Amino acid sequence: LVAQYLDFQYGPSHFGVANYAKTLADLAGALCSNHQRPLDIGCATGRASFDLARLFQHVDGVDYSARFIDVALALARQDSFRYAIPLEGELVEYCEARLSSHELGASQAERIHFSQGDACNLKPKYDHYDLVLASNLIDRLREPARFLRDIAPR
């Protein structure tokens, strides 16, 4: 799953379709009048968080998967992360996600705080946001209605 998300978020574009995470971050920035604090809940390996950090002062990136958060933190620390994509059977293609390939880097990384958390049971410290980005998340939650009810006040 980590390799799939890395390829989806940082890999090459296919069929001329723009990068999903970057497009969402750009739309969010254009629609939000206050560019202080967004929450990227369900951030996976962090691409939208890095793109939000171009536009906002401080970004909180939260995902249920500690492994995804570890990868996002590694990217923030070292700019790149190697992964393998299965091609056929045991054949794989070795790839590398590199922030600098997407004009992202240390200036964005220093404005992001990545942490593991449950979207349906967020700690009270995740509050007072100008924007909540919850992309590719709602269908994965055990209680989507509860999430929507509880996230609005934040």
Side-chain angles (χ1 to χ4, degrees):
L1 275 176
V2 169
Q4 287 176 339
Y5 271 85
L6 281 167
D7 206 56
F8 175 61
Q9 292 188 339
Y10 303 94
S13 64
H14 299 283
F15 309 111
V17 176
N19 182 280
Y20 178 70
K22 181 181 183 335
T23 301
L24 287 178
D26 291 346
L27 284 170
L31 295 172
C32 185
S33 59
N34 189 0
H35 287 186
Q36 296 299 309
R37 292 189 69 224
L39 170 63
D40 182 8
I41 185 78
C43 69
T45 57
R47 175 64 192 267
S49 296
F50 286 110
D51 280 304
L52 285 168
R54 292 179 196 213
L55 308 167
F56 290 83
Q57 294 301 310
H58 174 81
V59 179
D60 284 326
V62 177
D63 199 275
Y64 187 77
S65 168
R67 179 70 176 129
F68 282 166
I69 293 300
D70 288 345
V71 171
L73 289 167
L75 280 164
R77 260 191 328 272
Q78 63 201 24
D79 181 63
S80 66
F81 193 90
R82 295 187 56 115
Y83 61 99
I85 294 292
L87 294 176
E88 183 178 340
E90 305 231 353
L91 297 175
V92 296
E93 177 182 2
Y94 293 100
C95 304
E96 184 174 41
R98 186 175 290 281
L99 293 179
S100 56
S101 296
H102 304 285
E103 299 174 10
L104 299 166
S107 62
Q108 286 81 31
E110 66 189 22
R111 291 199 303 273
I112 304 170
H113 180 260
F114 287 112
S115 57
Q116 191 275 333
D118 183 350
C120 288
N121 191 22
L122 278 177
K123 295 177 181 174
K125 72 177 182 176
Y126 298 110
D127 203 2
H128 298 92
Y129 292 103
D130 302 305
L131 168 81
V132 174
L133 179 62
S135 68
N136 204 22
L137 175 72
I138 199 82
D139 60 321
R140 299 170 186 329
L141 298 176
R142 63 186 174 279
E143 295 180 74
R146 176 181 170 197
F147 168 76
L148 291 172
R149 183 186 67 243
D150 292 349
I151 201 67
R154 293 178 188 264

